[in-house]
Amino acid sequence: MNDAEPAIGASPPRLEAGDKATGRAQYADDIQVPGMLHAAILTSPHAHARIVGYRTDAARAMVGVKAIVTGADLAGPRSGGIIKDESMLARGKVRYVGEPVAAVAATDATIASAALAAIEVDYVPLTPVLSIDEALAPGAPLLHEEYAAYAKGIEGTGHDNVVWEAAIAEGDVEHAFAQCDVVVEGTFDTQAQHHAYLETNGCVADVDAAGKITLHVTCQSVHHVQQRVAEELCEPMSRIRAIATRVGGAFGGKHATNIHSIAAWLARAARRPVKLVLSRMQDFEIQRSRHPARIWMKTGARRDGTILARDVRIVIDGGAYADESPPVLTFALLMARGPYRIPHVRARGQAVYTNKLRAGSFRGFGNPQATFAGESQFDDLATQLGMDPVALRLANAMVPGDLAFGGQPVPSCVARECLLRVRDAQRDAAPLPPRFGRRRGVGYASMSHVSGLMGTAATVQLRADGSVALLTGCVDIGQGSDTVMVQICADALSLPMGRVSYARQDSDASPYNWKTAGSRSTYMTGRAVAVATIEMREKMFAHAAELMECAAVDLELRPGGVVGVRGVPDLAVTFKEIALRSLFKAGGPLAATHGFVFDGPGFDPKRASLRQLAFANLGVYTFGAHCVEVDVDDATGEVEVRRAWCAHDVGRAINPVSCEGQIQGGFVQGMGYALTEAMQWNEQGWLVTATFADYKIPGVLDSPPEIHPIILEDPDPTHPVGAKGIGEPSLVGAAPAIANAIRHATGARVRMLPMTPERVLAAIDEHR
Amino acid sequence: MQYIAPHSLDEAYRALEASDARCLAGGQSLMAMMNLGLVAPSSLVSLRNITSLRGIGVTADGGMRIGAMTTHAELAALDVAAAGPALLAAAARVVAYPAVRQWGTIGGSTAHADPSADYPVALVAVDAIVEIGSAAGLRRVPAREFFRGFFETALREREIVTAIHVPPGPKHGGAVYQKLSPVAGDFAIVAVAAIAGLRVSLAVGGYGPIPLLVSGIEITDDALLAAGQSLANATVPPGDHRASSAYRRRVLPELIRRAGRAAADRRLG
Amino acid sequence: MKLHSVLTVNDEAREVLAPSAASLLDVLRDSLALTGTKRGCNHGVCGACTVLLDGRVARSCLTLAADVGARPVTTIEGVAGVDAYSRVQRALIDTGAIQCGFCTPGFVMAITDLLARNPRPGREAIREALSGQLCRCSGYIKIVEAVQRLAGGTHE
């Protein structure tokens, strides 16, 4: 497998596929350490309550119980994202059913459970707020009375139960709407979706004699886990180490979380290793969801189809803690214009606190919500104008050189091409025979997304036999980044992939990487790898020039680890000879490192009015389009997605098969968001969909047998290989394309997700 | 927890005398409940080795006696003409997933009586008889009286479902089992089991703790829709996170029309 | 209460001392250190725990270990025999059907079971046989393609 030609654009099998196929791959729960204790977490039964006391003596006295921690043991400052409003265990107050309140480490799971049952916590229940409306109602109970006193990375404008407010505006929407011949308006509601990775969150926290903690953790960033755990435990980062296990899916749900800190705390207290792996129910109840959202949107156009204005108000439900609500809100506002050249746009939004588990990062990060509204309304506008929805999109699509909403230049844009490709693919495909009694519809959605952001670095080292060692901090969460990084490095050195080793991410040894998130890995870390490898090449050429007594400019790389002189076939040195010279003769061990923080242009405050945005510049824009065929049973409202075509610009497909897999997987996850997935709470704030029996993700029979990925390559000029990103966009377009197909089939517009049979039937009945 | 694996029914009845003892049939429902902490029996009596609980036999009237430990997969594989057994086979084919069908049993499913499950609906539609054994001997309870409520049946303590007797159904009759569920393999929002001879009898699941029976419907669209509408008007089906009560009522007439028509289409001659 | 038993796992007799209420999944992972079989939900829906019991697919989280008796158990660790990979594993690797890999052992077992009974399944039979295995990464397309390759074509 590792002898494959290192061509970028080839699809060598993933480096770790063999381990995964044979069961050898080690995920967090597979790790066993001698003397390991089992941890269990006690969670809040109240959605909102004050904690007035704990009694843990009986639990502490039980044989086999080695450590207990409650909120009363926490004395340091609060932690969190931009707003430091939380701690690893509830302190003073619980704010959602399922919030961790206490934890126990014991010699086995049975004793740990028994100890939990012996812990008593005294609560004074408070009135919960369980929806956006309840949170915003005048006089609503406050979740965070001390919001003003919290440390914040960016000063916010939160107040009452509003975590964050932000706005982006360009032009003059009021004036522009007055010029419009047709205006459509609508409110869209989206639900809490769960990541539903097959592997739950968990870790093993090991401890050495000096008390340094090492976490073996399924995560999206070892550096982020290290940082958050150090913060919670009031330790310097040099005493907290995080090593990535294989990750069984993440999608935004495995960023640093309470349980990492809880496990570390217990290990430190017990001076023994501690395993803490969540059950499926606890993972549903404790972790994170996607932000439910309410989006009010108004779009206006001239009779000829030129869209002049869009006004948007978005409220996202952030749950009990701020977590990533500010950036999710900001991104939703940024994406609210869609991939269109609408000159007058105003997007305003709020994120609110409610007494449910916190909403956080999830593939799409606010874009699925905004695009569901925008692309649904787009078709409604087309209907009002009497125009074909694809033609209306093409007429208003962004083109290269346009500015994105907020002012960032977009030099590379294939929005129109993506749409044309899916339209043509659907038209050219042999028609599917209709299902008896079903109505067929075809729907489209266009989308843009952003790849990039924050900082990353890569290091390349030359080994004594001419092999190369590559180190990055980029955790492969299943999307194939390990293989892509090695492809980039091997390609730049004309080495077979088997001659490049790739180290596991270890916060003690790996170069910094912010996170595997934001569709950024191939663009950011891949760019660092490419630049570092090119620098390594220069250093090797310097040695080769000395060895062959010629000028470095005359040198060329030859396949298989050889540096030769251009035009002189017989004159060459091997990588091994270069390595040995550096190690034993002159210069020292060869290594090259490149690190950078996203350095592209961001917003332009001269062009756009920007208020309280949670990030300054983001990344490179990518574009895509979906076309979906559905069959609708208009007597039951059941929707079956028959086929899909998904066109995405990836800049450069380093591993095309991996790109296809991301597109197909993202589409099905977006289809689940569209049709069947919803976390639901009862009036007491208990999650009633906390198992796979109740929270339904698509199985193979629910998924279309044909999902055609169409990869476009419009290289990004700032990346040595031209790559952008693909992780998130394919989820973003699914729900609106399906909604538009349902409308095409039945005339009915569904504005609430998921579009269950019940909702679809209700919309059909209303339309009749 | 005590685990006992008797080799005869008599041994099993004795083992069930322990307090809080449960039978383990295929385990596909019971183990899930145990893993979720919903039940914790002090004693599990495995029926796996009791050969008298296995086997499918055709009875003199053309129906079947199906041993309680018969798996869904075995039933699903039956190629039978008689409408009663055919309906059971149709239901067996759509229970959950292949691995669950491989090991789950009709006896276990019947005794468990999950209101969202497939077998109870089919058994009520075909007018099956549940054969129940205990140390006192055998007794029979019609399926239409066996299912009493949510996970509640006519089974008394220390009794075991030993077999299901399925009548042949109408001569040359046809039968279908149709379920409306959010995703494939899921429990049904509404399920309809229909068996058609000169007229249609059908059972509806998802409409309450026990399947509802409607018999003797004329095989026309109007009659079927009217029967569905009547039933929808007369009952208040549950609302839950899968679907509201109003939706269940809204879709029932058409689901009954479809199931009735489909069953009629499968009649022979 | 702990029970002592001998299980036949991957053609080997393995001695086990485990709680009587332990599932086969618990025993495989915790007592026998065979961690290739995964715990995805522990309530019988996701299929990540799939093994072959007596040669047929079974959810090991729904199988009481004490009830296994002499029936042979095959796990992902036993599927390739003396080779590095079975043809099923090879096909999944080569088709690019493996992303995070957590569902992969379960799929390998389910596909192995399918092909043992039906060496040339069409697409619908493949989808039906895999209907109890959840995957969150791939959208299932490449997994089905891998099986179609093994079945010798892409007939419906």
Side-chain angles (χ1 to χ4, degrees):
Chain A
M1 187 193 318
N2 288 337
D3 291 310
E5 282 305 309
I8 286 180
S11 295
R14 302 238 185 134
L15 302 176
E16 76 288 350
D19 276 354
K20 289 171 175 173
T22 56
R24 277 192 186 74
Q26 292 256 294
Y27 301 83
D29 195 31
D30 299 331
I31 292 177
Q32 305 277 354
V33 177
M36 197 171 76
L37 301 172
H38 291 265
I41 300 184
L42 183 67
T43 62
S44 168
H46 297 285
H48 199 196
R50 253 192 294 282
I51 299 174
V52 293
Y54 304 87
R55 273 181 302 291
T56 58
D57 289 348
R60 285 182 203 277
M62 291 171 78
V63 173
V65 171
K66 300 301 180 188
I68 294 185
V69 59
T70 73
D73 299 313
L74 306 181
R78 288 177 185 270
S79 63
I82 287 176
I83 299 173
K84 309 277 182 198
D85 63 353
E86 59 176 302
S87 288
M88 71 186 205
L89 295 171
R91 288 164 78 172
K93 233 187 154 185
V94 287
R95 295 180 175 87
Y96 66 98
V97 174
E99 180 168 7
V101 168
V104 160
T107 48
D108 69 46
T110 310
I111 296 174
S113 290
L116 282 192
I119 296 176
E120 288 169 17
V121 183
D122 299 322
Y123 297 100
V124 173
L126 301 168
T127 308
V129 294
L130 293 173
S131 70
I132 289 172
D133 290 330
E134 285 177 34
L136 292 176
L142 293 186
L143 270 86
H144 291 270
E145 299 95 329
E146 295 139 33
Y147 177 90
Y150 292 150
K152 302 178 185 72
I154 304 173
E155 266 319 299
T157 48
H159 57 86
D160 305 307
N161 285 323
V162 175
V163 181
W164 201 262
E165 287 181 316
I168 309 174
E170 289 182 355
D172 181 346
V173 283
E174 305 293 357
H175 179 73
F177 276 122
Q179 321 293 316
C180 293
D181 300 311
V182 174
V183 175
V184 293
E185 192 177 329
T187 300
F188 300 83
D189 286 279
T190 67
Q191 81 286 33
Q193 183 184 23
H194 196 276
H195 311 76
Y197 26 70
L198 265 280
E199 178 209 24
T200 59
N201 271 284
C203 62
V204 175
D206 203 352
V207 58
D208 70 10
K212 175 169 174 172
I213 311 278
T214 296
L215 290 139
H216 300 274
V217 52
T218 176
C219 64
Q220 297 180 236
S221 169
V222 291
H223 296 95
H224 188 228
V225 171
Q226 177 193 36
Q227 181 186 350
R228 181 60 75 86
V229 172
E231 201 181 338
E232 284 282 1
L233 269 57
C234 301
E235 296 266 12
M237 285 167 71
S238 49
R239 284 177 54 77
I240 306 288
R241 180 182 182 195
I243 300 176
T245 61
R246 272 297 155 210
V247 178
F251 316 108
K254 287 189 173 160
H255 296 307
T257 179
N258 323 45
I259 63 167
H260 304 148
S261 301
I262 291 168
W265 185 289
L266 291 169
R268 186 176 64 177
R271 284 200 284 275
R272 279 173 68 167
V274 171
K275 173 180 277 191
L276 176 46
V277 173
L278 294 181
S279 70
R280 179 57 62 181
M281 272 191 85
Q282 279 201 320
D283 198 292
F284 269 115
E285 290 168 344
I286 291 178
Q287 292 299 299
R288 298 176 165 100
S289 75
R290 186 188 293 287
H291 286 78
R294 175 171 306 148
I295 305 117
W296 170 86
M297 186 177 280
K298 183 164 117 172
T299 311
R302 282 204 289 257
R303 175 77 40 215
D304 69 356
T306 308
I307 300 176
L308 294 183
R310 172 170 281 178
D311 196 6
V312 186
R313 275 201 297 277
I314 301 180
V315 183
I316 61 173
D317 180 345
Y321 293 100
D323 200 77
E324 300 209 70
S325 288
V328 170
L329 177 65
T330 305
F331 195 64
L333 297 176
L334 186 65
M335 293 290 108
R337 191 183 85 183
Y340 304 108
R341 358 168 63 190
I342 307 175
H344 306 274
V345 182
R346 177 171 61 188
R348 295 172 287 182
Q350 294 177 314
V352 300
Y353 282 124
T354 62
N355 290 109
K356 303 196 293 291
L357 90 178
R358 101 279 304 286
S361 178
F362 189 162
R363 197 176 194 175
F365 209 74
N367 198 2
Q369 296 93 321
T371 299
F372 173 64
E375 287 301 285
S376 295
Q377 187 160 95
F378 213 94
D379 268 29
D380 289 348
L381 182 63
T383 302
Q384 293 293 321
L385 288 167
M387 281 182 72
D388 169 69
V390 174
L392 183 61
R393 286 180 169 85
L394 290 171
N396 289 279
M398 286 171 69
V399 297
D402 278 355
L403 301 178
F405 186 38
Q408 177 170 331
V410 180
S412 158
C413 170
V414 287
R416 304 181 87 253
E417 289 80 348
C418 288
L419 191 54
L420 289 169
R421 290 289 298 271
V422 295
R423 186 197 67 182
D424 293 344
Q426 191 271 333
R427 284 184 183 175
D428 293 343
L432 277 182
R435 285 220 203 285
F436 179 72
R438 305 286 189 268
R439 292 168 61 176
R440 173 68 51 79
V442 179
Y444 293 87
S446 280
M447 74 219 73
S448 63
H449 201 79
V450 178
S451 292
L453 92 154
M454 304 298 191
T456 194
T459 298
V460 182
Q461 298 169 343
L462 188 62
R463 293 282 177 257
D465 72 347
S467 293
V468 158
L470 175 62
L471 300 99
T472 78
C474 177
V475 176
D476 188 326
I477 57 175
Q479 86 286 30
S481 54
D482 283 3
T483 307
V484 160
M485 300 306 159
V486 170
Q487 281 181 265
I488 293 173
C489 181
D491 190 273
L493 291 174
S494 293
L495 274 180
M497 284 178 67
R499 300 300 300 257
V500 178
S501 68
Y502 190 64
R504 204 140 64 109
Q505 288 68 41
D506 174 343
S507 62
D508 269 5
S510 300
Y512 173 83
N513 182 45
W514 180 62
K515 299 176 185 178
T516 300
S519 308
R520 67 188 287 276
S521 301
T522 307
Y523 177 77
M524 293 295 294
T525 307
R527 180 173 143 182
V529 169
V531 175
T533 308
I534 291 166
E535 280 181 24
M536 167 62 86
R537 208 166 63 196
E538 312 292 285
K539 293 190 181 188
M540 289 168 68
F541 276 23
H543 278 271
E546 292 292 315
L547 282 169
M548 294 188 285
E549 293 174 335
C550 62
V553 293
D554 295 329
L555 295 174
E556 64 180 7
L557 206 54
R558 293 182 193 161
V562 175
V563 179
V565 177
R566 215 172 293 110
V568 188
D570 297 333
L571 194 52
V573 291
T574 62
F575 282 17
K576 177 176 175 179
E577 289 172 281
I578 292 170
L580 292 175
R581 181 174 193 271
S582 70
L583 290 175
F584 296 111
K585 191 140 191 248
L590 277 179
T593 292
H594 181 70
F596 72 108
V597 66
F598 181 73
D599 47 4
F603 301 114
D604 181 355
K606 291 197 285 294
R607 195 189 152 73
S609 150
L610 310 161
R611 192 164 67 83
Q612 282 308 117
L613 301 189
F615 43 76
N617 61 344
L618 209 49
V620 298
Y621 274 76
T622 64
F623 295 86
H626 287 184
C627 174
V628 166
E629 283 174 343
V630 304
D631 281 339
V632 183
D633 182 336
D634 64 2
T636 64
E638 287 170 288
V639 175
E640 183 187 358
V641 177
R642 300 297 309 276
R643 291 191 291 197
W645 291 266
C646 308
H648 289 278
D649 166 31
V650 304
R652 181 87 187 277
I654 295 170
N655 189 314
V657 168
S658 276
C659 290
E660 292 174 355
Q662 282 291 289
I663 292 171
Q664 292 165 336
F667 178 81
V668 170
Q669 207 172 33
M671 187 188 77
Y673 183 59
L675 295 175
T676 61
E677 296 181 38
M679 295 172 77
Q680 296 177 69
W681 289 264
N682 68 13
E683 300 90 55
Q684 286 76 45
W686 286 75
L687 183 65
V688 299
T689 54
T691 68
F692 278 149
D694 296 304
Y695 184 85
K696 308 308 301 187
I697 72 174
V700 67
L701 292 180
D702 310 299
S703 308
E706 292 178 45
I707 302 171
H708 299 279
I710 300 170
I711 296 171
L712 283 81
E713 294 181 297
D714 189 33
D716 184 275
T718 61
H719 191 290
V721 181
K724 296 171 182 165
I726 189 53
E728 294 167 284
S730 58
L731 186 150
V732 171
I738 293 169
N740 288 335
I742 292 170
R743 183 158 194 282
H744 185 236
T746 64
R749 169 60 66 197
V750 186
R751 291 196 180 82
M752 185 176 280
L753 293 181
M755 296 180 286
T756 58
E758 178 161 356
R759 290 193 177 124
V760 172
L761 187 57
I764 290 173
D765 283 346
E766 203 186 297
H767 177 76
R768 270 197 243 270
Chain B
M1 186 201 78
Q2 229 204 346
Y3 166 79
I4 305 140
H7 287 261
S8 74
L9 278 170
D10 286 335
E11 272 183 65
Y13 300 141
R14 272 200 296 284
L16 285 176
E17 284 166 23
S19 66
D20 195 27
R22 278 193 179 239
C23 287
L24 174 66
Q28 304 301 290
S29 296
L30 182 60
M31 287 294 293
M33 287 168 53
M34 285 169 61
N35 291 349
L36 288 170
L38 297 171
V39 299
S42 56
S43 189
L44 263 191
V45 181
S46 168
L47 304 179
R48 191 165 70 77
N49 297 319
I50 305 176
T51 48
S52 61
L53 290 175
R54 296 188 189 271
I56 303 176
V58 180
T59 51
D61 61 355
M64 282 185 164
R65 180 187 180 279
I66 304 171
M69 288 295 281
T70 304
T71 64
H72 310 320
E74 286 168 325
L75 273 176
L78 284 184
D79 186 14
V80 278
L87 179 48
L88 233 53
R93 279 192 276 278
V94 294
V95 170
Y97 316 103
V100 173
R101 295 195 284 275
Q102 184 61 38
W103 303 103
T105 67
I106 188 168
S109 184
T110 301
H112 185 57
D114 187 324
S116 305
D118 301 300
Y119 274 141
V121 186
L123 294 178
V124 165
V126 306
D127 200 11
I129 308 274
V130 183
E131 184 192 287
I132 301 170
S134 69
L138 292 179
R139 65 188 184 102
R140 296 176 179 212
V141 177
R144 295 172 182 180
E145 294 162 33
F146 181 83
F147 299 105
R148 299 264 170 96
F150 281 111
F151 303 97
E152 204 192 309
T153 68
L155 269 184
R156 299 177 194 136
E157 298 212 341
R158 300 186 278 285
E159 286 190 321
I160 299 175
V161 173
T162 49
I164 306 290
H165 293 257
V166 181
K171 200 159 145 77
H172 302 310
V176 293
Y177 181 78
Q178 294 180 341
K179 69 196 258 195
L180 195 169
S181 58
V183 296
D186 193 11
F187 289 119
I189 291 175
V190 180
V192 183
I195 187 160
L198 290 173
R199 290 185 167 235
V200 168
S201 288
L202 43 85
V204 174
Y207 251 64
I210 61 176
L212 303 180
L213 177 67
V214 187
S215 309
I217 312 170
E218 211 188 303
I219 304 177
T220 65
D221 280 356
D222 286 345
L224 289 164
L225 286 170
Q229 197 57 61
S230 262
L231 191 56
N233 294 344
T235 49
V236 183
D240 57 29
H241 59 272
R242 281 192 176 77
S244 70
S245 177
Y247 176 75
R248 286 181 160 100
R249 282 170 137 176
R250 169 74 180 76
V251 296
L252 187 63
E254 176 60 16
L255 291 180
I256 283 182
R257 188 196 69 79
R258 289 180 186 179
R261 278 298 201 177
D265 287 346
R266 282 180 204 211
R267 290 177 300 183
L268 301 164
Chain C
M1 169 175 182
K2 290 211 172 182
L3 285 184
H4 175 260
S5 56
V6 177
L7 295 180
T8 305
V9 182
N10 298 330
D11 293 324
E12 279 182 51
R14 304 292 303 265
E15 283 200 48
V16 172
L17 184 66
S20 52
S23 67
L24 178 58
L25 179 64
D26 295 335
V27 162
L28 289 172
R29 290 182 57 80
D30 304 336
S31 305
L32 297 178
L34 292 168
T35 57
T37 307
K38 302 304 179 193
R39 181 178 288 117
C41 70
N42 213 35
H43 51 264
V45 180
C46 75
C49 69
T50 302
V51 298
L52 298 184
L53 174 61
D54 222 1
R56 302 306 310 273
V57 273
R59 281 151 153 47
S60 61
C61 76
L62 298 184
T63 305
L64 189 72
D67 207 40
V68 170
R71 295 177 292 168
V73 175
T74 309
T75 70
I76 186 68
E77 290 91 348
V79 115
V82 298
D83 298 323
Y85 305 116
S86 70
R87 6 175 349 245
V88 172
Q89 289 165 319
R90 184 85 253 173
L92 290 171
I93 292 166
D94 290 343
T95 316
I98 302 174
Q99 293 193 34
C100 87
F102 201 77
C103 74
T104 303
F107 270 96
V108 170
M109 306 317 288
I111 296 166
T112 302
D113 174 86
L114 166 65
L115 295 176
R117 290 175 294 114
N118 180 358
R120 299 176 61 83
R123 189 177 76 185
E124 279 322 298
I126 295 169
R127 283 162 57 89
E128 180 62 41
L130 300 182
S131 60
Q133 311 295 129
L134 289 179
C135 174
R136 193 53 159 168
C137 294
S138 71
Y140 305 101
I141 302 289
K142 292 186 187 300
I143 298 175
V144 173
E145 281 174 5
V147 186
Q148 285 176 311
R149 270 200 214 181
L150 291 171
T154 54
H155 52 287
E156 294 294 304

